């Protein structure tokens, strides 16, 4: 009898300790495309985010509490972000949400975070509408009016006067970036020869490419995601198109080159980060990342890492995980030394940062230049 009482109280003690520890953890929600058409985006951003969380916990956590990252996979499918972000907020009681890479996915989740007053930080969504959703929605990357200008200026500097445009109508990112590129390019003496469209998931682009080819462009701007871009680059080559392709950050990821092979040689795209950057911050990050995962970190990995570090920094400055205080602290982020550059959140909850231009030679990415805002 005595013994069972003792065991019972031991058990109660153990349970309450586990409970206290669990309650003491700061829950951070993350939604990402770990599978499906843009799996490379979600897998990379998640690895970077997790690396930051592990590092923070190894040095004691934040405000004396450990961070717990709960990650949900949206499978790259429209409709999923809303469902899983509701779950992260209502069921897991996440104090903040990190995600997504693709703008259309972030745009789906942002109104839910805003309604619930749970701060959301997108590591990589560049469409302006994302943060326009409301004052709880942030991003730590540049936006597409800047990115479109960077590519347009680069094209003009290369002497490309006539450019064709091929847009993915299913992605807010692609539609927006095409629009900002065209605006700058035509205002600065460039001509758009022809415009064509496709939709995420398409596999055959020959009709659009044939039409674009007939306009004899100097280059073709394709602000799409790597999956479709890789396929259409191969088809462009089969059709004898010699004009280089130009793109934006949606091209990023080894998956692009695995499918495209050498078909994108001589093409250019803009992005956020290059592992070739010799700065000690970037090289230190590359080393840590490779020690954990072996592969070389790409843009989404570095941005994912920065998003978690910025959140942790804001929690520290807020001295609390209270939603209004945390929102204000994220909004006040100034000169944060990130892996992807110095991050200051502006009054529109965006970050003004440099972009990098990259090229592809011999089936590999190569850094060209950094472009300041
Ligand atoms: N900027 C893209 C978007 O808004 C996503 C992206 C970011 C893709 C960085 C690759 C690298 O949809």
């Amino acid at each position: 009898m005595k013994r069972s009482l003792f065991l019972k109280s031991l058990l109660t003690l153990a349970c309450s300790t586990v409970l206290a520890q669990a309650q003491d953890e700061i829950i951070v929600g993350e939604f990402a495309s770990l599978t499906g058409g843009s799996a490379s985006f979600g897998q990379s951003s998640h690895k970077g985010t997790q690396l930051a969380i592990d590092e923070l916990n190894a040095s004691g956590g934040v405000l004396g509490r450990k961070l717990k990252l709960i990650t949900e996979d949206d499978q790259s499918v429209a409709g999923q972000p809303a469902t899983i972000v509701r779950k992260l907020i209502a069921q897991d009681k996440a104090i903040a949400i990190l995600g997504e890479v693709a703008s259309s996915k972030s745009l789906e989740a942002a109104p839910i975070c805003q309604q619930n007053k749970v701060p959301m930080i997108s590591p990589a969504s560049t469409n302006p509408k994302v943060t326009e959703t409301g004052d709880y929605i942030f991003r730590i990357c540049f936006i597409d009016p800047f990115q479109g200008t960077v590519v347009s200026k680069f094209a003009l500097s290369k002497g490309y006067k006539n450019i064709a445009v091929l847009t993915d109508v299913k992605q807010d990112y692609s539609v927006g970036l095409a629009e900002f590129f065209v605006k700058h390019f035509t205002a600065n003496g460039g001509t758009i020869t022809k415009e064509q469209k496709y939709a995420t998931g398409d596999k055959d682009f020959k009709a659009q490419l044939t039409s674009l080819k007939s306009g004899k462009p100097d280059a073709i701007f394709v602000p799409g995601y790597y999956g479709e871009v890789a396929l259409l680059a191969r088809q462009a080559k089969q059709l004898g198109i010699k004009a280089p392709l130009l793109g934006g950050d949606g091209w990023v990821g080894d998956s692009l080159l695995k499918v495209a092979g050498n078909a994108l040689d001589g093409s250019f795209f803009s992005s956020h980060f290059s592992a070739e950057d010799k700065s000690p911050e970037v090289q230190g990050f590359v080393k840590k990342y490779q020690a954990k995962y072996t592969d070389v970190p790409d843009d989404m990995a570095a941005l994912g890492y920065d998003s978690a570090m910025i959140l942790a920094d804001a929690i520290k400055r807020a001295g609390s995980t209270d939603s209004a205080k945390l929102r204000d602290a994220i909004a006040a982020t100034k000169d944060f030394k990130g892996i992807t550059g110095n991050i200051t959140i502006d009054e529109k909850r965006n970050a003004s940062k440099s972009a990098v231009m990259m090229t592809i030679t011999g089936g590999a990415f190569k850094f060209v230049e950094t472009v300041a805002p």
Side-chain angles (χ1 to χ4, degrees):
M1 182 67 187
K2 253 191 178 168
R3 199 168 155 232
S4 73
L5 241 183
F6 174 69
L7 275 179
K8 205 175 152 198
S9 43
L10 246 187
L11 205 70
T12 318
L13 189 73
C15 281
S16 53
T17 319
V18 168
L19 206 68
Q21 269 176 0
Q23 277 171 348
D24 221 38
E25 281 175 335
I26 296 174
I27 309 290
V28 175
E30 182 197 22
F31 70 116
S33 52
L34 299 175
T35 56
S38 46
S40 149
F41 291 168
Q43 288 173 7
S44 276
S45 61
H46 172 63
K47 287 201 276 189
T49 307
Q50 188 68 60
L51 178 65
I53 299 281
D54 291 349
E55 229 176 279
L56 289 158
N57 283 340
S59 59
V62 181
L63 306 179
R65 296 161 67 188
K66 291 275 160 75
L67 296 163
K68 184 173 177 198
L69 183 69
I70 302 184
T71 308
E72 292 291 343
D73 177 15
D74 63 35
Q75 300 157 38
S76 309
V77 171
Q80 282 301 312
T83 311
I84 60 180
V85 165
R86 274 198 193 98
K87 178 249 175 200
L88 288 169
I89 293 174
Q91 199 172 312
D92 301 320
K93 311 279 180 231
I95 58 111
I97 300 290
L98 300 176
E100 230 251 27
V101 171
S103 288
S104 296
K105 303 286 185 305
S106 290
L107 277 164
E108 230 189 85
I112 297 159
C113 294
Q114 181 65 31
Q115 275 154 22
N116 288 281
K117 295 199 181 325
V118 173
M120 170 177 144
I121 306 178
S122 167
S125 290
T126 46
N127 186 280
K129 290 183 287 181
V130 173
T131 45
E132 286 165 11
T133 307
D135 62 348
Y136 274 76
I137 315 301
F138 299 87
R139 84 180 97 220
I140 59 145
C141 56
F142 54 67
I143 55 174
D144 287 333
F146 169 66
Q147 181 165 214
T149 302
V150 166
V151 183
S152 165
K153 278 187 180 161
F154 183 81
L156 291 164
S157 78
K158 284 279 204 194
Y160 304 152
K161 293 252 168 343
N162 301 303
I163 290 189
V165 179
L166 183 51
T167 310
D168 181 346
V169 287
K170 279 279 164 63
Q171 299 296 340
D172 293 277
Y173 158 75
S174 188
V175 173
L177 187 52
E179 185 188 318
F180 300 120
F181 170 84
V182 168
K183 199 169 162 207
H184 184 275
F185 189 66
T186 51
N188 289 276
T191 302
I192 302 300
T193 51
K194 272 173 187 272
E195 292 191 57
Q196 283 288 329
K197 299 176 187 346
Y198 66 91
T200 303
D202 283 357
K203 304 250 177 296
D204 187 348
F205 307 88
K206 292 194 201 82
Q208 294 96 318
L209 290 166
T210 304
S211 159
L212 295 182
K213 187 185 178 194
S214 71
K216 299 194 171 37
D218 300 324
I220 305 177
F221 184 49
V222 194
Y225 290 150
Y226 65 90
E228 289 80 16
V229 172
L231 289 178
L232 71 84
R234 291 174 59 145
Q235 291 168 20
K237 203 156 187 206
Q238 283 160 14
L239 291 170
I241 294 178
K242 297 264 173 339
L245 303 191
L246 302 174
D249 56 355
W251 283 26
V252 172
D254 281 344
S255 311
L256 177 82
L257 301 177
K258 275 189 199 127
V259 177
N262 287 321
L264 280 165
D265 276 14
S267 290
F268 299 92
F269 64 100
S270 55
S271 198
H272 306 258
F273 159 91
S274 165
E276 288 176 54
D277 188 327
K278 291 282 168 287
S279 77
E281 290 80 15
V282 169
Q283 288 313 311
F285 171 71
V286 171
K287 228 181 183 166
K288 283 191 293 201
Y289 189 91
Q290 285 193 298
K292 192 173 165 86
Y293 304 113
T294 68
D295 51 327
V296 177
D298 57 22
D299 305 52
M300 292 81 71
L303 289 163
Y305 181 89
D306 279 350
S307 71
M309 285 301 187
I310 285 207
L311 174 64
D313 177 66
I315 299 172
K316 276 183 216 157
R317 283 185 287 105
S320 139
T321 55
D322 167 78
S323 98
K325 285 188 186 139
L326 184 54
R327 192 224 78 90
D328 290 349
I330 300 170
T333 301
K334 207 171 177 297
D335 249 333
F336 181 90
K337 303 266 170 296
I339 301 304
T340 57
N342 272 10
I343 300 169
T344 296
I345 301 291
D346 67 19
E347 69 285 358
K348 291 188 168 159
R349 298 171 298 285
N350 301 321
S352 162
K353 288 157 75 188
S354 295
V356 295
M357 280 306 300
M358 305 286 294
T359 188
I360 297 165
T361 11
F365 294 126
K366 201 119 202 66
F367 171 80
V368 178
E369 63 182 11
T370 298
V371 187

Short mmCIF file of all heavy atoms in Angstrom, two decimals, residues 22-51:
data_model
loop_
_atom_site.label_atom_id
_atom_site.label_comp_id
_atom_site.label_asym_id
_atom_site.label_seq_id
_atom_site.Cartn_x
_atom_site.Cartn_y
_atom_site.Cartn_z
N ALA A 22 7.03 21.18 -20.77
CA ALA A 22 6.35 21.36 -22.05
C ALA A 22 5.71 22.73 -22.11
O ALA A 22 5.79 23.41 -23.12
CB ALA A 22 5.31 20.27 -22.23
N GLN A 23 5.09 23.15 -20.97
CA GLN A 23 4.44 24.45 -20.97
C GLN A 23 5.46 25.56 -21.09
O GLN A 23 5.18 26.63 -21.59
CB GLN A 23 3.65 24.63 -19.67
CG GLN A 23 2.29 23.99 -19.74
CD GLN A 23 1.61 23.98 -18.40
OE1 GLN A 23 2.22 24.26 -17.38
NE2 GLN A 23 0.34 23.66 -18.41
N ASP A 24 6.65 25.26 -20.63
CA ASP A 24 7.69 26.26 -20.61
C ASP A 24 8.33 26.46 -21.98
O ASP A 24 8.98 27.46 -22.20
CB ASP A 24 8.75 25.81 -19.61
CG ASP A 24 9.21 27.01 -18.81
OD1 ASP A 24 8.34 27.84 -18.52
OD2 ASP A 24 10.42 27.11 -18.56
N GLU A 25 8.14 25.51 -22.87
CA GLU A 25 8.73 25.63 -24.20
C GLU A 25 8.00 26.71 -24.99
O GLU A 25 6.79 26.88 -24.85
CB GLU A 25 8.60 24.31 -24.96
CG GLU A 25 9.61 23.28 -24.54
CD GLU A 25 9.37 21.95 -25.24
OE1 GLU A 25 8.22 21.69 -25.64
OE2 GLU A 25 10.33 21.20 -25.37
N ILE A 26 8.75 27.41 -25.81
CA ILE A 26 8.12 28.39 -26.69
C ILE A 26 7.82 27.68 -28.00
O ILE A 26 8.74 27.17 -28.67
CB ILE A 26 9.06 29.60 -26.93
CG1 ILE A 26 9.31 30.33 -25.59
CG2 ILE A 26 8.49 30.53 -27.97
CD1 ILE A 26 10.34 31.45 -25.69
N ILE A 27 6.56 27.62 -28.34
CA ILE A 27 6.18 26.90 -29.56
C ILE A 27 6.22 27.83 -30.78
O ILE A 27 5.54 28.85 -30.82
CB ILE A 27 4.75 26.31 -29.46
CG1 ILE A 27 4.56 25.50 -28.16
CG2 ILE A 27 4.41 25.49 -30.70
CD1 ILE A 27 5.32 24.21 -28.11
N VAL A 28 7.02 27.45 -31.75
CA VAL A 28 7.11 28.21 -33.01
C VAL A 28 6.54 27.31 -34.11
O VAL A 28 6.94 26.15 -34.24
CB VAL A 28 8.58 28.58 -33.33
CG1 VAL A 28 8.68 29.26 -34.68
CG2 VAL A 28 9.16 29.45 -32.22
N GLY A 29 5.59 27.83 -34.86
CA GLY A 29 4.99 27.04 -35.96
C GLY A 29 5.70 27.33 -37.27
O GLY A 29 6.14 28.46 -37.52
N GLU A 30 5.83 26.32 -38.09
CA GLU A 30 6.42 26.52 -39.42
C GLU A 30 5.57 25.78 -40.45
O GLU A 30 5.19 24.64 -40.22
CB GLU A 30 7.85 25.97 -39.45
CG GLU A 30 8.55 26.19 -40.79
CD GLU A 30 9.79 25.31 -41.00
OE1 GLU A 30 9.93 24.26 -40.34
OE2 GLU A 30 10.62 25.68 -41.84
N PHE A 31 5.24 26.44 -41.55
CA PHE A 31 4.58 25.71 -42.64
C PHE A 31 5.45 25.80 -43.88
O PHE A 31 6.00 26.84 -44.20
CB PHE A 31 3.14 26.19 -42.87
CG PHE A 31 2.98 27.57 -43.46
CD1 PHE A 31 2.41 27.75 -44.72
CD2 PHE A 31 3.36 28.71 -42.75
CE1 PHE A 31 2.24 29.02 -45.26
CE2 PHE A 31 3.20 29.98 -43.29
CZ PHE A 31 2.63 30.14 -44.54
N ALA A 32 5.61 24.66 -44.54
CA ALA A 32 6.57 24.57 -45.64
C ALA A 32 6.15 23.49 -46.62
O ALA A 32 5.42 22.56 -46.26
CB ALA A 32 7.96 24.26 -45.07
N SER A 33 6.61 23.61 -47.86
CA SER A 33 6.32 22.60 -48.88
C SER A 33 7.39 21.51 -48.82
O SER A 33 8.34 21.56 -49.57
CB SER A 33 6.29 23.26 -50.26
OG SER A 33 7.47 24.01 -50.48
N LEU A 34 7.21 20.57 -47.91
CA LEU A 34 8.23 19.52 -47.74
C LEU A 34 8.10 18.45 -48.83
O LEU A 34 9.03 17.69 -49.07
CB LEU A 34 8.10 18.88 -46.36
CG LEU A 34 8.30 19.83 -45.18
CD1 LEU A 34 8.04 19.13 -43.86
CD2 LEU A 34 9.70 20.43 -45.19
N THR A 35 6.92 18.38 -49.45
CA THR A 35 6.70 17.43 -50.55
C THR A 35 5.98 18.16 -51.68
O THR A 35 5.54 19.29 -51.49
CB THR A 35 5.82 16.24 -50.07
OG1 THR A 35 4.59 16.77 -49.54
CG2 THR A 35 6.50 15.41 -48.99
N GLY A 36 5.87 17.52 -52.83
CA GLY A 36 5.13 18.12 -53.95
C GLY A 36 6.00 18.95 -54.88
O GLY A 36 7.23 18.90 -54.81
N GLY A 37 5.35 19.73 -55.73
CA GLY A 37 6.03 20.45 -56.81
C GLY A 37 7.12 21.40 -56.38
O GLY A 37 8.08 21.62 -57.11
N SER A 38 6.98 22.03 -55.20
CA SER A 38 8.06 22.93 -54.76
C SER A 38 8.73 22.41 -53.48
O SER A 38 9.12 23.18 -52.61
CB SER A 38 7.56 24.38 -54.61
OG SER A 38 6.35 24.44 -53.93
N ALA A 39 8.89 21.09 -53.41
CA ALA A 39 9.50 20.45 -52.24
C ALA A 39 10.90 20.99 -51.94
O ALA A 39 11.29 21.09 -50.77
CB ALA A 39 9.56 18.95 -52.44
N SER A 40 11.62 21.34 -52.98
CA SER A 40 12.99 21.81 -52.76
C SER A 40 12.98 23.11 -51.94
O SER A 40 13.85 23.32 -51.09
CB SER A 40 13.66 21.97 -54.13
OG SER A 40 14.59 22.99 -54.13
N PHE A 41 11.96 23.96 -52.15
CA PHE A 41 11.85 25.20 -51.37
C PHE A 41 11.66 24.88 -49.87
O PHE A 41 12.35 25.39 -49.01
CB PHE A 41 10.62 26.03 -51.81
CG PHE A 41 10.73 26.65 -53.17
CD1 PHE A 41 9.61 27.21 -53.78
CD2 PHE A 41 11.94 26.69 -53.85
CE1 PHE A 41 9.68 27.80 -55.03
CE2 PHE A 41 12.02 27.28 -55.11
CZ PHE A 41 10.89 27.83 -55.70
N GLY A 42 10.66 24.03 -49.59
CA GLY A 42 10.30 23.75 -48.20
C GLY A 42 11.37 22.97 -47.47
O GLY A 42 11.66 23.23 -46.30
N GLN A 43 11.98 22.01 -48.17
CA GLN A 43 13.01 21.20 -47.50
C GLN A 43 14.20 22.07 -47.12
O GLN A 43 14.73 21.96 -46.02
CB GLN A 43 13.44 20.05 -48.41
CG GLN A 43 12.36 18.98 -48.51
CD GLN A 43 12.68 17.92 -49.54
OE1 GLN A 43 13.77 17.89 -50.11
NE2 GLN A 43 11.73 17.03 -49.79
N SER A 44 14.60 22.96 -48.02
CA SER A 44 15.74 23.82 -47.72
C SER A 44 15.42 24.81 -46.61
O SER A 44 16.19 24.97 -45.67
CB SER A 44 16.15 24.62 -48.96
OG SER A 44 16.97 23.86 -49.76
N SER A 45 14.29 25.51 -46.74
CA SER A 45 13.98 26.52 -45.72
C SER A 45 13.82 25.84 -44.35
O SER A 45 14.25 26.36 -43.33
CB SER A 45 12.73 27.34 -46.08
OG SER A 45 11.61 26.51 -46.18
N HIS A 46 13.24 24.65 -44.35
CA HIS A 46 13.08 23.94 -43.07
C HIS A 46 14.43 23.58 -42.45
O HIS A 46 14.64 23.73 -41.24
CB HIS A 46 12.23 22.69 -43.25
CG HIS A 46 12.21 21.84 -42.01
ND1 HIS A 46 11.68 22.30 -40.82
CD2 HIS A 46 12.72 20.62 -41.75
CE1 HIS A 46 11.84 21.37 -39.89
NE2 HIS A 46 12.48 20.34 -40.43
N LYS A 47 15.35 23.12 -43.29
CA LYS A 47 16.66 22.73 -42.74
C LYS A 47 17.37 23.94 -42.13
O LYS A 47 17.97 23.84 -41.06
CB LYS A 47 17.53 22.10 -43.83
CG LYS A 47 17.06 20.69 -44.20
CD LYS A 47 18.14 19.87 -44.87
CE LYS A 47 18.23 20.09 -46.33
NZ LYS A 47 19.11 19.19 -47.05
N GLY A 48 17.28 25.09 -42.81
CA GLY A 48 17.89 26.30 -42.26
C GLY A 48 17.22 26.73 -40.96
O GLY A 48 17.89 27.07 -39.97
N THR A 49 15.89 26.66 -40.94
CA THR A 49 15.13 27.07 -39.76
C THR A 49 15.47 26.16 -38.57
O THR A 49 15.72 26.62 -37.47
CB THR A 49 13.61 26.99 -40.06
OG1 THR A 49 13.35 27.75 -41.24
CG2 THR A 49 12.78 27.55 -38.92
N GLN A 50 15.49 24.86 -38.84
CA GLN A 50 15.78 23.90 -37.77
C GLN A 50 17.21 24.08 -37.22
O GLN A 50 17.43 24.00 -36.01
CB GLN A 50 15.62 22.47 -38.31
CG GLN A 50 15.71 21.39 -37.24
CD GLN A 50 14.52 21.44 -36.27
OE1 GLN A 50 13.38 21.28 -36.67
NE2 GLN A 50 14.79 21.67 -34.99
N LEU A 51 18.14 24.39 -38.12
CA LEU A 51 19.53 24.62 -37.68
C LEU A 51 19.58 25.79 -36.69
O LEU A 51 20.24 25.70 -35.65
CB LEU A 51 20.42 24.91 -38.90
CG LEU A 51 21.89 25.23 -38.63
CD1 LEU A 51 22.61 24.03 -38.02
CD2 LEU A 51 22.60 25.65 -39.92
#
